[in-house]
Amino acid sequence: MQHNWSHHLRLIIGVLLGIMLVGLWFGHPLIGLAVGLFGYLIWTLVQMRRLHHWLSHPDEDDEAPGSIGIWGEIFDGLHRMHRANQRRQDQLQTRINRVQESTNAMRDGVIMTDADGAMEWWNWSAEYLLGFRRETDRGQPIHNLIRNPAFKAYFDARDYRDPLELRSPAKPHIHLQIQISLFGDDDRLIVAKDVTRLFQLEQMRRDFVSNVSHEMRTPLTVISGYLETLSDHADEVPAKWRRALTTMSQQAERMEALITDLILLAKLETGEQHIDDRVTDVAALIRQTCSDAKAVSGDAGHIIEMDIGERHHLFGDENQLRSAFSNIIFNAVKYTPAGGTIKVRWYTDREGAHLAVKDSGIGIDPVHIPRLTERFYRADPSRHQQTGGTGLGLAIVKHVLLNHDGSLEINSQPGEGSEFVCHFPRQRITEAPIETA
């Protein structure tokens, strides 16, 4: 390019010198030079006009204007760049079309919005699942089309680690799972998945567990009643049946505990249990629970230490909190060897309120921790059978904490004991109610 420019410059100087010599021949060299410069200026303006017209109307003439010298090279260079750009645009458009075609083939709804929620593009499944209309909804805020406060809060929260489940605004019988991802300049990619079948199966499972638990309670109560009567007259029972009677009584109690936990868990999951939010004295609740835990410990002689902070009033359901706290503290007693230490600590900080229960037991392999809150999951079935647990305690704790906007943290290593921490948000911390006459 530098060589071509030098050649063009020499050519211009040579032409101007030639014109000036012609002017010198006629006795007016400066006039000749002025005529040459003026002619070159006119020619340059003509080339600039052609360039401007071509750049302004690229669709009218795909070919670049023809010229000579440096302008010819400029036109040719721009033409090559234009062709390369067109090829890149065609390739990009082909990829976009392919992505859109493949996305339209998905059964999940896919929606793209900007940072404010204005809808830019969506596939056919989104139209079916959410009732969007391609002719009128483009550019509309998605909050105007999905009028659900939970979706609005989920969209604005920018915390999309967990999906959101809601009913379709266009087809209420369809249950959707919404997952949002951030991309680009704070834009959103929203995926809506039809989980109606899973929702129905989960509802059937809950109804089954709830109904079976209630139906089993009546005959079990009768059996337990007769076993209790027989136990009260154990002296009249033949000696060979006394051991069987004791075993049946123990298993009946275990079955009653299982049914009670199943019913409680079913109520927590379905929302049937009314949440009675009120000011709860956590200190009194912990002291009572630890006292009950010492009774459960019995001859094992566990050492239970309590550390309760000054701010110990929590806004929540006292019965549910009692169930969660007792499950965690009783588990620590059950799974800690005799003479072990259990530390129960209640404290507050900037994040909120926390109940930490740390034991000196054998610990849990970290591979089991993500599944400990599942129903009936057993990290060690043999230990579970020895303690007589139902396998539902931590599942109940998880749902109680969800009802109180909290979460459960589990830290444990084999041989180093375990620590269970219940986290409650700061807005749940409150002051003691004022006594009135």
Side-chain angles (χ1 to χ4, degrees):
M1 186 65 182
Q2 182 68 29
H3 173 74
N4 293 338
W5 171 253
S6 300
H7 175 73
H8 179 70
L9 183 62
R10 289 195 298 270
L11 180 62
I12 294 174
I13 294 175
V15 171
L16 291 177
L17 287 175
I19 295 175
M20 189 172 66
L21 290 176
V22 172
L24 180 62
W25 175 265
F26 290 100
H28 300 284
L30 295 179
I31 294 177
L33 179 61
V35 170
L37 291 174
F38 182 74
Y40 180 73
L41 177 61
I42 296 298
W43 181 75
T44 301
L45 291 175
V46 170
Q47 304 306 314
M48 292 175 63
R49 181 179 179 278
R50 297 174 66 192
L51 175 61
H52 179 266
H53 182 270
W54 181 53
L55 295 177
S56 302
H57 306 86
D59 297 332
E60 294 182 3
D61 189 4
D62 188 57
E63 295 295 331
S67 185
I68 60 174
I70 192 65
W71 280 103
E73 294 182 4
I74 291 175
F75 287 142
D76 291 342
L78 289 175
H79 183 62
R80 288 192 297 270
M81 292 174 61
H82 177 61
R83 285 292 182 87
N85 183 57
Q86 281 186 328
R87 286 194 297 270
R88 285 193 294 269
Q89 285 185 343
D90 292 341
Q91 293 173 356
L92 181 60
Q93 188 61 47
T94 300
R95 294 177 182 176
I96 292 175
N97 293 338
R98 187 171 179 80
V99 170
Q100 290 183 347
E101 289 175 1
S102 60
T103 306
N104 280 323
M106 294 175 59
R107 300 183 64 180
D108 299 338
V110 180
I111 309 103
M112 294 174 58
T113 73
D114 62 14
D116 298 324
M119 297 177 57
E120 299 177 348
W121 182 87
W122 59 91
N123 65 352
W124 297 112
S125 295
E127 292 192 7
Y128 170 75
L129 295 174
L130 296 164
F132 297 156
R133 291 174 293 183
R134 199 169 295 271
E135 300 80 10
T136 59
D137 292 341
R138 190 179 301 277
Q140 293 289 328
I142 194 170
H143 310 304
N144 293 347
L145 304 174
I146 305 180
R147 296 180 177 271
N148 189 307
F151 176 78
K152 179 69 165 60
Y154 181 64
F155 186 94
D156 295 337
R158 296 174 57 86
D159 183 5
Y160 306 132
R161 290 173 294 181
D162 298 322
L164 171 70
E165 291 191 7
L166 49 79
R167 291 180 181 269
S168 167
K171 299 177 175 61
H173 67 281
I174 295 180
H175 290 264
L176 300 176
Q177 185 182 79
I178 305 295
Q179 182 72 62
I180 301 180
S181 301
L182 292 172
F183 75 98
D185 189 14
D186 207 22
D187 298 330
R188 265 75 164 182
L189 178 67
I190 305 173
V191 178
K193 181 180 297 185
D194 185 355
V195 293
T196 305
R197 180 61 176 167
L198 293 176
F199 179 84
Q200 292 173 345
L201 290 174
E202 182 67 14
Q203 188 63 42
M204 290 173 58
R205 182 197 62 78
R206 291 174 179 173
D207 293 342
F208 173 79
V209 171
S210 179
N211 293 335
V212 169
S213 300
H214 282 91
E215 291 299 325
M216 290 177 62
R217 169 163 280 185
T218 299
L220 186 59
T221 301
V222 175
I223 294 173
S224 298
Y226 279 113
L227 288 173
E228 185 176 353
T229 301
L230 291 174
S231 298
D232 291 339
H233 299 81
D235 296 338
E236 302 176 10
V237 177
K240 64 179 181 179
W241 294 107
R242 292 176 186 174
R243 182 178 179 183
L245 185 61
T246 302
T247 302
M248 286 189 292
S249 298
Q250 292 174 349
Q251 294 303 317
E253 292 178 0
R254 183 176 180 182
M255 195 68 178
E256 285 183 350
L258 175 60
I259 292 175
T260 301
D261 284 350
L262 279 172
I263 293 175
L264 175 58
L265 183 58
K267 289 181 178 179
L268 290 172
E269 289 180 335
T270 58
E272 294 179 7
Q273 188 177 43
H274 175 68
I275 300 177
D276 184 16
D277 278 338
R278 57 183 178 180
V279 178
T280 300
D281 187 352
V282 176
L285 189 59
I286 292 176
R287 292 190 185 99
Q288 181 61 47
T289 305
C290 289
S291 176
D292 296 339
K294 289 181 180 179
V296 171
S297 173
D299 297 334
H302 293 100
I303 301 173
I304 301 178
E305 301 176 357
M306 289 183 293
D307 180 9
I308 301 175
E310 295 181 357
R311 302 188 65 183
H312 51 77
H313 288 88
L314 197 70
F315 193 68
D317 189 305
E318 183 174 350
N319 291 327
Q320 290 194 17
L321 292 174
R322 179 181 290 106
S323 177
F325 291 1
S326 61
N327 269 300
I328 292 179
I329 295 175
F330 288 0
N331 278 350
V333 172
K334 292 177 182 179
Y335 297 118
T336 300
T341 302
I342 300 165
K343 298 180 180 179
V344 180
R345 182 188 176 206
W346 173 265
Y347 62 98
T348 58
D349 55 22
R350 293 182 179 180
E351 301 298 326
H354 317 274
L355 173 70
V357 179
K358 184 176 179 58
D359 61 58
S360 59
I362 64 173
I364 305 169
D365 192 326
V367 71
H368 298 293
I369 291 179
R371 300 190 58 190
L372 285 181
T373 56
E374 294 181 10
R375 309 171 193 86
F376 303 113
Y377 182 79
R378 300 180 178 184
D380 187 344
S382 61
R383 291 177 63 217
H384 198 87
Q385 293 173 358
Q386 293 171 3
T387 58
T390 63
L392 298 173
L394 291 181
I396 292 174
V397 172
K398 182 184 73 172
H399 282 87
V400 169
L401 293 179
L402 288 176
N403 288 343
H404 290 79
D405 310 310
S407 60
L408 177 64
E409 177 185 352
I410 305 174
N411 302 306
S412 184
Q413 290 290 338
E416 299 180 7
S418 304
E419 182 181 31
F420 292 78
V421 186
C422 299
H423 299 290
F424 297 92
R426 188 174 181 83
Q427 57 267 25
R428 286 275 175 181
I429 305 174
T430 185
E431 301 298 333
I434 299 175
E435 296 286 342
T436 57

